[in-house]
């Protein structure tokens, strides 16, 4: 008997017999997303025994009803009410109110627009420094790897600096991100492979969540200050630092990497950006819509619910495809068109509702600054070879992106 035989197909729900976590669908998810949206507002996938929604309206509904669709049973395929979590639960991601609210209040203050204003100057300086270096490399005749030299280099410098992390060992942040985002999916080959490295990487991460490892005044230290003030307990502080280190790097690395890929494969869009680097912010936003770095999250129903009239029993896992919602023709005119002058307000790449990305102000800052710095220095950005994909159960990611850059 296979896993799927254990879960009977519910009546009245369209069935889609696909595995969204198979290598083929992860490599090219868009035809599957179209089938998902077409099949109905909610479908049943027997392979994993889950309900799946890929239409914007229903994705939004699931994410905005945090009482019916809870996070404390995990936001991946695993149901934490039935099996233990692969790591101690995140105090913010895998929590519901009122527990969630305390953690969220602290993190939203640390990552607020006002506090991000204070780091802006250093983020600008670093983007300019990195792109000056890149310009010199290009002038010396080098082909550039957009992933290693830009998309990884920039977030790995500025975000851990802002958290107050030491410089050494930061590559662990990418390995850890790869692991936690694979763990949102099933126990497939991808999870097995990234879990092989879990012990040393987790040990490094947890060690760097300790107060004495974090520079005074950084985001990490501010969490400990919140604990000193009694907003959270001392035991909770390292766990909230862990949230920075889980969600703060691999997400922006791939947001920027995907944006570079979008621009390299749409020369007319890059030409517009070069002509007006002020478009950097909306260009980044459109890239998030078009190639969402985080493709999916799950919720678990806390009671019997109706979603678009479809009955879903209590205790069900519901997959919300952020990426499919972001190309839903019911929501977006000409969704398959990458258009940096579109204002894709309401895209789901940062999620929505009380769990909507708490770091989105920082993420947007990084995206905007790196694209603007690029646009100012280069008049053309072209593919210099085939990009390679880094398959991950949740992240839309590239491992390399060979670029030919033409100085302005
Ligand atoms: C966390 C966290 C938050 C958002 C995303 C995420 C798996 C992790 O709190 O650890 O990615």
């Amino acid at each position: 008997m296979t896993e799927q035989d254990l879960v009977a197909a519910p009546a009245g729900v369209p069935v889609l017999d696909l595995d969204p976590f198979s290598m083929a669908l992860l490599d090219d998810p868009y035809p599957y997303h179209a089938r998902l949206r077409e099949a109905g507002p909610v479908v049943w996938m027997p392979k994993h025994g889950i309900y799946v929604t890929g239409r914007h309206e229903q994705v939004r509904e699931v994410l905005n009803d945090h009482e019916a669709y809870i996070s404390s049973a995990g936001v991946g395929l695993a149901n934490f009410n039935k099996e233990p979590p692969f790591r101690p639960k995140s105090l913010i991601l895998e929590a519901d109110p009122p527990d969630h609210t305390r953690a969220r209040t602290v993190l939203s203050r640390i990552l607020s627009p006002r506090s991000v204003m204070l780091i802006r100057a250093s983020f600008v300086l670093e983007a300019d420094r990195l792109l000056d270096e890149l310009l010199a490399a290009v002038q010396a005749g080098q082909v550039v790897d957009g992933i290693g030299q830009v998309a990884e280099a920039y977030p790995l410098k500025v975000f851990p600096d802002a958290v107050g992390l030491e410089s050494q060992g930061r590559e662990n942040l990418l390995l850890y991100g790869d692991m936690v985002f694979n763990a949102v999916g099933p126990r497939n080959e991808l999870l097995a492979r990234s879990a092989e490295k879990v012990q040393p990487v987790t040990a490094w991460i947890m060690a760097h969540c300790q107060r004495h490892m974090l520079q005074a005044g950084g985001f990490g230290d501010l969490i400990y200050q919140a604990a000193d003030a009694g907003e959270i307990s001392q035991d909770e502080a390292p766990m909230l630092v862990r949230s920075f280190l889980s969600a703060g790097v691999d997400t922006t690395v791939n947001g920027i990497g995907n944006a570079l890929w979008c621009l390299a494969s749409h020369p007319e869009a890059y030409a517009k950006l070069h002509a007006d680097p002020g478009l950097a912010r909306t260009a980044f936003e459109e890239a998030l819509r078009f190639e969402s770095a985080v493709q999916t999250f799950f919720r678990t129903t806390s009671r019997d619910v109706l979603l678009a009239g479809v009955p879903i029993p209590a205790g069900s896992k519901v997959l919300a495809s952020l990426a499919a919602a972001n190309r839903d023709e019911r929501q977006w005119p000409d969704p398959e068109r990458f258009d940096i002058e579109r204002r894709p307000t309401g895209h789901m790449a940062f999620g929505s509702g009380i769990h909507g990305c708490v770091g989105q102000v920082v993420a947007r800052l990084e995206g905007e600054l790196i694209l603007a710095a690029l646009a100012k220095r280069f008049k053309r950005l072209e593919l210099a070879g085939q990009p390679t994909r880094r398959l991950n159960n949740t992240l839309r990611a590239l491992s390399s992106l060979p670029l030919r850059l033409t100085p302005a």
Side-chain angles (χ1 to χ4, degrees), residues 126-193:
E126 196 52 44
D128 283 332
R129 198 196 59 74
L130 188 77
L131 268 289
D132 282 342
E133 219 177 84
L134 201 73
L135 179 59
V138 168
Q139 282 163 340
Q142 279 182 35
V143 167
V144 163
D145 175 19
I147 302 304
Q149 289 173 267
V150 182
E152 292 182 350
Y154 184 59
L156 270 178
K157 170 72 179 146
V158 291
F159 187 73
D161 278 0
V163 170
L165 212 64
E166 67 176 334
S167 299
Q168 229 180 49
R170 289 184 179 183
E171 64 283 355
N172 284 298
L173 296 166
L174 294 176
L175 293 168
Y176 192 67
D178 194 53
M179 191 176 307
V180 294
F181 281 101
N182 270 329
V184 170
R187 298 187 179 196
N188 58 11
E189 191 59 30
L190 288 173
L191 179 55
R193 247 183 281 151

Coordinates of all heavy atoms in Angstrom, one line a residue, residues 126-193:
E126 N 27.0 49.8 0.6 CA 27.4 48.4 0.3 C 27.0 48.0 -1.2 O 27.7 47.3 -1.9 CB 26.9 47.4 1.3 CG 27.5 46.1 1.3 CD 29.0 46.2 1.4 OE1 29.6 47.0 2.2 OE2 29.7 45.4 0.7
A127 N 25.8 48.4 -1.6 CA 25.4 48.1 -2.9 C 26.3 48.8 -3.9 O 26.7 48.2 -4.9 CB 23.9 48.6 -3.2
D128 N 26.7 50.1 -3.7 CA 27.6 50.8 -4.6 C 29.0 50.2 -4.6 O 29.6 50.0 -5.6 CB 27.6 52.3 -4.1 CG 26.4 53.0 -4.6 OD1 25.8 52.6 -5.6 OD2 26.0 54.0 -3.9
R129 N 29.4 49.8 -3.4 CA 30.7 49.1 -3.3 C 30.8 47.8 -4.1 O 31.7 47.6 -4.9 CB 31.1 48.9 -1.8 CG 32.6 48.6 -1.6 CD 32.8 48.0 -0.2 NE 32.2 46.7 -0.1 CZ 32.6 45.6 -0.7 NH1 33.7 45.6 -1.5 NH2 31.9 44.4 -0.5
L130 N 29.8 47.0 -3.9 CA 29.7 45.7 -4.6 C 29.6 45.9 -6.1 O 30.3 45.2 -6.9 CB 28.5 44.9 -4.1 CG 28.4 43.5 -4.6 CD1 29.4 42.6 -3.8 CD2 27.0 42.9 -4.5
L131 N 28.8 46.9 -6.6 CA 28.6 47.1 -8.0 C 29.9 47.8 -8.6 O 30.2 47.5 -9.8 CB 27.3 47.8 -8.3 CG 26.1 47.0 -8.6 CD1 26.2 46.3 -9.9 CD2 25.9 45.9 -7.5
D132 N 30.6 48.6 -7.9 CA 31.8 49.2 -8.4 C 32.9 48.0 -8.6 O 33.6 48.0 -9.6 CB 32.4 50.2 -7.4 CG 31.7 51.5 -7.5 OD1 31.0 51.8 -8.5 OD2 31.8 52.3 -6.5
E133 N 32.9 47.1 -7.7 CA 33.8 45.9 -7.8 C 33.4 45.1 -9.1 O 34.3 44.7 -9.8 CB 33.5 45.1 -6.6 CG 34.8 44.5 -6.0 CD 34.4 43.7 -4.7 OE1 33.9 42.5 -4.8 OE2 34.5 44.3 -3.6
L134 N 32.1 45.0 -9.3 CA 31.6 44.2 -10.4 C 32.0 44.9 -11.7 O 32.4 44.2 -12.7 CB 30.1 44.0 -10.3 CG 29.5 42.9 -11.1 CD1 29.8 41.5 -10.4 CD2 28.0 43.0 -11.2
L135 N 31.8 46.2 -11.7 CA 32.2 47.0 -12.9 C 33.6 46.8 -13.3 O 34.0 46.6 -14.4 CB 31.8 48.5 -12.7 CG 32.1 49.4 -13.8 CD1 31.4 49.1 -15.1 CD2 31.8 50.9 -13.4
A136 N 34.5 46.8 -12.2 CA 35.9 46.6 -12.5 C 36.2 45.2 -13.0 O 37.0 45.1 -14.0 CB 36.7 46.8 -11.2
A137 N 35.5 44.2 -12.5 CA 35.6 42.8 -13.0 C 35.2 42.8 -14.5 O 35.8 42.1 -15.3 CB 34.8 41.9 -12.2
V138 N 34.1 43.4 -14.8 CA 33.6 43.4 -16.2 C 34.6 44.1 -17.1 O 34.8 43.6 -18.2 CB 32.2 44.1 -16.2 CG1 31.7 44.4 -17.7 CG2 31.1 43.2 -15.5
Q139 N 35.1 45.2 -16.6 CA 36.1 46.0 -17.5 C 37.3 45.2 -17.7 O 38.0 45.4 -18.7 CB 36.4 47.4 -16.8 CG 35.2 48.3 -17.1 CD 35.2 49.6 -16.2 OE1 35.8 49.5 -15.1 NE2 34.5 50.6 -16.6
A140 N 37.6 44.3 -16.8 CA 38.8 43.4 -16.9 C 38.4 42.2 -17.8 O 39.2 41.2 -18.0 CB 39.3 42.9 -15.6
G141 N 37.2 42.2 -18.4 CA 36.8 41.1 -19.3 C 36.1 39.9 -18.8 O 35.9 38.9 -19.5
Q142 N 35.7 39.9 -17.5 CA 35.1 38.8 -16.9 C 33.6 38.6 -17.2 O 32.9 39.6 -17.3 CB 35.2 38.9 -15.3 CG 36.6 38.5 -14.8 CD 36.5 38.5 -13.3 OE1 35.5 38.3 -12.6 NE2 37.7 38.9 -12.7
V143 N 33.2 37.3 -17.3 CA 31.8 37.0 -17.3 C 31.4 36.9 -15.8 O 32.2 36.5 -15.0 CB 31.5 35.7 -18.0 CG1 30.1 35.2 -17.8 CG2 31.7 35.9 -19.5
V144 N 30.2 37.4 -15.5 CA 29.8 37.5 -14.1 C 28.8 36.4 -13.8 O 28.0 36.1 -14.6 CB 29.2 38.9 -13.9 CG1 28.3 39.0 -12.6 CG2 30.2 40.0 -13.9
D145 N 28.9 35.9 -12.6 CA 27.8 35.0 -12.1 C 26.9 35.8 -11.3 O 27.2 36.2 -10.2 CB 28.4 33.8 -11.3 CG 27.3 32.9 -10.8 OD1 26.1 33.0 -11.2 OD2 27.5 32.2 -9.8
G146 N 25.7 36.1 -11.8 CA 24.7 36.9 -11.1 C 24.3 36.3 -9.8 O 23.9 37.1 -8.9
I147 N 24.4 35.0 -9.6 CA 24.0 34.5 -8.3 C 25.1 34.7 -7.3 O 24.9 35.3 -6.3 CB 23.6 33.0 -8.4 CG1 22.5 32.8 -9.5 CG2 23.2 32.4 -7.1 CD1 21.2 33.6 -9.1
G148 N 26.3 34.1 -7.5 CA 27.4 34.2 -6.6 C 27.8 35.6 -6.3 O 28.0 36.0 -5.2
Q149 N 28.0 36.4 -7.4 CA 28.7 37.7 -7.3 C 27.7 38.8 -6.9 O 28.1 39.9 -6.5 CB 29.4 38.0 -8.5 CG 30.7 37.2 -8.7 CD 31.3 37.4 -10.1 OE1 31.1 36.7 -11.0 NE2 32.2 38.4 -10.1
V150 N 26.4 38.6 -7.1 CA 25.4 39.7 -6.8 C 24.4 39.2 -5.8 O 24.3 39.6 -4.6 CB 24.8 40.2 -8.0 CG1 23.8 41.4 -7.7 CG2 25.8 40.7 -9.0
A151 N 23.6 38.2 -6.2 CA 22.4 37.8 -5.5 C 22.8 37.2 -4.1 O 22.0 37.3 -3.1 CB 21.6 36.8 -6.3
E152 N 23.9 36.5 -4.0 CA 24.3 35.9 -2.7 C 25.2 36.9 -2.0 O 25.0 37.1 -0.8 CB 25.1 34.6 -2.9 CG 24.2 33.5 -3.4 CD 24.9 32.1 -3.6 OE1 26.1 32.1 -3.5 OE2 24.2 31.1 -3.8
A153 N 26.1 37.6 -2.7 CA 27.1 38.4 -2.1 C 26.4 39.6 -1.3 O 26.8 39.9 -0.2 CB 28.0 39.0 -3.2
Y154 N 25.4 40.2 -1.9 CA 24.9 41.4 -1.3 C 24.1 41.1 0.0 O 24.4 41.6 1.1 CB 24.0 42.2 -2.3 CG 23.5 43.5 -1.7 CD1 24.3 44.5 -1.3 CD2 22.1 43.7 -1.7 CE1 23.8 45.7 -0.7 CE2 21.6 44.9 -1.2 CZ 22.5 45.9 -0.7 OH 22.0 47.0 -0.2
P155 N 23.1 40.2 -0.1 CA 22.3 39.9 1.2 C 23.2 39.3 2.3 O 23.0 39.6 3.4 CB 21.3 38.9 0.7 CG 21.0 39.2 -0.7 CD 22.4 39.6 -1.2
L156 N 24.2 38.5 1.8 CA 25.1 37.8 2.8 C 26.0 38.9 3.5 O 26.5 38.6 4.6 CB 26.0 36.8 2.2 CG 25.4 35.4 2.1 CD1 26.4 34.5 1.4 CD2 25.1 34.8 3.5
K157 N 26.1 40.0 2.9 CA 26.9 41.1 3.6 C 25.9 41.9 4.5 O 26.1 42.1 5.7 CB 27.6 41.9 2.5 CG 28.2 43.2 3.0 CD 29.5 42.9 3.9 CE 30.1 44.2 4.4 NZ 30.7 44.1 5.7
V158 N 24.9 42.5 3.8 CA 24.2 43.6 4.5 C 23.3 43.1 5.6 O 23.2 43.7 6.7 CB 23.4 44.5 3.6 CG1 24.3 45.3 2.7 CG2 22.4 43.7 2.7
F159 N 22.6 42.0 5.4 CA 21.6 41.5 6.4 C 22.3 41.0 7.7 O 22.0 41.5 8.8 CB 20.6 40.5 5.8 CG 19.5 40.2 6.8 CD1 18.5 41.1 7.1 CD2 19.5 39.0 7.5 CE1 17.5 40.8 8.1 CE2 18.5 38.7 8.4 CZ 17.5 39.6 8.7
P160 N 23.2 40.1 7.5 CA 23.9 39.6 8.8 C 24.6 40.8 9.5 O 24.7 40.8 10.7 CB 24.9 38.6 8.2 CG 24.3 38.1 7.0 CD 23.7 39.3 6.4
D161 N 25.2 41.7 8.7 CA 25.8 42.9 9.3 C 24.7 43.6 10.2 O 25.0 44.0 11.3 CB 26.3 43.9 8.3 CG 27.6 43.6 7.7 OD1 28.2 42.6 8.2 OD2 28.1 44.3 6.9
A162 N 23.5 43.8 9.7 CA 22.4 44.5 10.4 C 22.0 43.7 11.6 O 21.7 44.2 12.6 CB 21.2 44.7 9.5
V163 N 22.0 42.3 11.5 CA 21.7 41.5 12.6 C 22.8 41.6 13.7 O 22.5 41.5 14.9 CB 21.4 40.0 12.2 CG1 21.3 39.1 13.4 CG2 20.2 39.9 11.3
G164 N 24.0 41.8 13.3 CA 25.1 41.9 14.2 C 25.9 40.6 14.3 O 26.6 40.3 15.3
L165 N 25.9 39.9 13.2 CA 26.6 38.6 13.1 C 28.0 38.7 12.7 O 28.3 39.6 11.8 CB 25.8 37.7 12.1 CG 25.7 36.3 12.2 CD1 25.0 35.9 13.5 CD2 25.0 35.7 11.0
E166 N 28.9 37.9 13.2 CA 30.3 38.0 12.7 C 30.4 37.6 11.2 O 29.5 37.0 10.7 CB 31.2 37.1 13.6 CG 30.9 35.6 13.4 CD 31.8 34.7 14.2 OE1 32.9 35.1 14.5 OE2 31.4 33.6 14.5
S167 N 31.5 37.9 10.6 CA 31.7 37.7 9.2 C 32.0 36.2 8.8 O 31.5 35.8 7.8 CB 32.9 38.5 8.6 OG 32.6 39.9 8.9
Q168 N 32.7 35.6 9.7 CA 33.0 34.2 9.4 C 31.9 33.2 9.4 O 31.0 33.3 10.3 CB 34.1 33.7 10.4 CG 35.3 33.1 9.7 CD 36.3 32.6 10.8 OE1 36.0 31.9 11.7 NE2 37.6 33.0 10.5
G169 N 31.9 32.3 8.4 CA 30.9 31.2 8.5 C 29.5 31.5 7.9 O 28.6 30.7 8.0
R170 N 29.4 32.7 7.3 CA 28.1 33.1 6.8 C 27.5 32.2 5.7 O 26.3 32.2 5.5 CB 28.1 34.5 6.3 CG 28.3 35.5 7.5 CD 28.2 36.9 7.0 NE 28.3 37.9 8.1 CZ 28.3 39.2 8.0 NH1 28.0 39.7 6.8 NH2 28.4 39.9 9.1
E171 N 28.3 31.4 5.1 CA 27.8 30.4 4.1 C 26.8 29.4 4.8 O 25.9 28.9 4.1 CB 28.9 29.7 3.4 CG 29.8 28.8 4.2 CD 30.8 29.5 5.1 OE1 31.0 30.8 4.9 OE2 31.5 28.9 5.9
N172 N 26.9 29.3 6.1 CA 26.0 28.4 6.8 C 24.6 28.9 6.7 O 23.6 28.2 6.8 CB 26.4 28.3 8.3 CG 27.6 27.4 8.5 OD1 27.5 26.2 8.2 ND2 28.7 28.0 9.0
L173 N 24.4 30.2 6.5 CA 23.1 30.8 6.4 C 22.4 30.3 5.1 O 21.1 30.0 5.2 CB 23.1 32.3 6.4 CG 23.7 33.0 7.7 CD1 24.0 34.4 7.4 CD2 22.6 32.8 8.8
L174 N 23.1 30.1 4.1 CA 22.5 29.6 2.8 C 22.2 28.1 3.0 O 21.1 27.7 2.5 CB 23.5 29.8 1.6 CG 23.7 31.2 1.2 CD1 24.8 31.3 0.1 CD2 22.5 31.9 0.8
L175 N 23.0 27.4 3.6 CA 22.8 25.9 3.8 C 21.6 25.8 4.7 O 20.7 24.9 4.5 CB 24.0 25.3 4.4 CG 25.3 25.2 3.5 CD1 26.5 24.8 4.3 CD2 25.0 24.2 2.4
Y176 N 21.5 26.6 5.8 CA 20.4 26.5 6.7 C 19.1 26.9 6.0 O 18.0 26.2 6.2 CB 20.6 27.4 7.9 CG 19.7 27.1 9.1 CD1 19.7 25.9 9.8 CD2 18.8 28.1 9.5 CE1 18.8 25.6 10.8 CE2 17.9 27.8 10.5 CZ 17.9 26.6 11.2 OH 17.1 26.3 12.2
G177 N 19.1 27.9 5.3 CA 17.9 28.3 4.5 C 17.4 27.2 3.6 O 16.2 26.9 3.5
D178 N 18.4 26.6 2.9 CA 18.0 25.6 2.0 C 17.3 24.4 2.7 O 16.3 23.9 2.2 CB 19.3 25.0 1.3 CG 19.1 24.1 0.1 OD1 18.4 24.6 -0.8 OD2 19.6 23.0 0.1
M179 N 17.8 24.2 3.9 CA 17.2 23.1 4.7 C 15.8 23.4 5.2 O 14.9 22.6 5.0 CB 18.2 22.9 5.9 CG 18.0 21.7 6.7 SD 19.3 21.7 7.9 CE 20.7 21.9 6.9
V180 N 15.7 24.6 5.8 CA 14.3 24.9 6.4 C 13.3 25.0 5.3 O 12.1 24.7 5.5 CB 14.3 26.1 7.3 CG1 15.1 25.9 8.6 CG2 14.8 27.4 6.7
F181 N 13.7 25.5 4.1 CA 12.7 25.7 3.1 C 12.4 24.3 2.4 O 11.3 24.1 1.9 CB 13.1 26.8 2.1 CG 12.7 28.1 2.6 CD1 13.7 28.9 3.1 CD2 11.4 28.6 2.6 CE1 13.4 30.2 3.7 CE2 11.1 29.9 3.1 CZ 12.1 30.7 3.6
N182 N 13.4 23.4 2.3 CA 13.1 22.1 1.9 C 12.2 21.4 2.8 O 11.3 20.6 2.4 CB 14.4 21.3 1.7 CG 15.0 21.4 0.3 OD1 14.3 21.5 -0.7 ND2 16.3 21.3 0.2
A183 N 12.3 21.7 4.1 CA 11.5 21.0 5.2 C 10.0 21.4 5.1 O 9.2 20.7 5.8 CB 12.1 21.2 6.5
V184 N 9.7 22.4 4.3 CA 8.3 22.7 4.2 C 7.6 21.7 3.3 O 6.4 21.5 3.4 CB 8.2 24.2 3.5 CG1 6.8 24.5 3.1 CG2 8.7 25.2 4.5
G185 N 8.4 21.0 2.5 CA 7.8 20.0 1.5 C 7.8 18.6 2.1 O 8.0 18.4 3.4
P186 N 7.7 17.6 1.3 CA 7.7 16.2 1.8 C 9.1 15.7 2.0 O 10.1 16.4 1.7 CB 7.0 15.5 0.6 CG 7.4 16.3 -0.6 CD 7.5 17.7 -0.2
R187 N 9.2 14.5 2.6 CA 10.5 13.9 2.8 C 11.0 13.3 1.5 O 11.1 12.1 1.4 CB 10.4 12.9 3.9 CG 9.9 13.5 5.2 CD 10.0 12.5 6.3 NE 9.5 13.2 7.5 CZ 9.7 12.7 8.7 NH1 10.4 11.6 8.9 NH2 9.3 13.4 9.8
N188 N 11.3 14.1 0.6 CA 11.8 13.6 -0.7 C 13.3 13.7 -0.7 O 14.0 14.0 0.3 CB 11.2 14.3 -1.9 CG 11.4 15.9 -1.8 OD1 12.2 16.3 -1.0 ND2 10.7 16.6 -2.6
E189 N 13.9 13.4 -1.9 CA 15.3 13.4 -2.1 C 16.0 14.7 -1.7 O 17.0 14.8 -1.2 CB 15.6 13.1 -3.6 CG 17.0 12.8 -4.0 CD 17.6 11.6 -3.2 OE1 16.8 10.7 -2.8 OE2 18.8 11.6 -3.0
L190 N 15.3 15.8 -2.1 CA 15.8 17.2 -1.8 C 16.0 17.4 -0.3 O 17.0 17.9 0.2 CB 14.9 18.3 -2.3 CG 14.9 18.4 -3.8 CD1 13.8 19.4 -4.2 CD2 16.2 18.9 -4.4
L191 N 15.0 17.0 0.5 CA 15.1 17.2 1.9 C 16.1 16.3 2.5 O 17.0 16.7 3.3 CB 13.7 16.9 2.6 CG 13.7 17.0 4.1 CD1 14.2 18.4 4.6 CD2 12.3 16.8 4.7
A192 N 16.2 15.0 2.0 CA 17.2 14.1 2.5 C 18.6 14.6 2.3 O 19.4 14.6 3.1 CB 17.0 12.7 1.8
R193 N 18.8 15.2 1.1 CA 20.1 15.7 0.7 C 20.5 16.9 1.6 O 21.6 17.0 2.1 CB 20.2 16.0 -0.8 CG 21.2 15.1 -1.5 CD 21.3 15.5 -3.0 NE 20.1 15.1 -3.7 CZ 19.7 15.7 -4.8 NH1 20.3 16.8 -5.2 NH2 18.6 15.2 -5.5

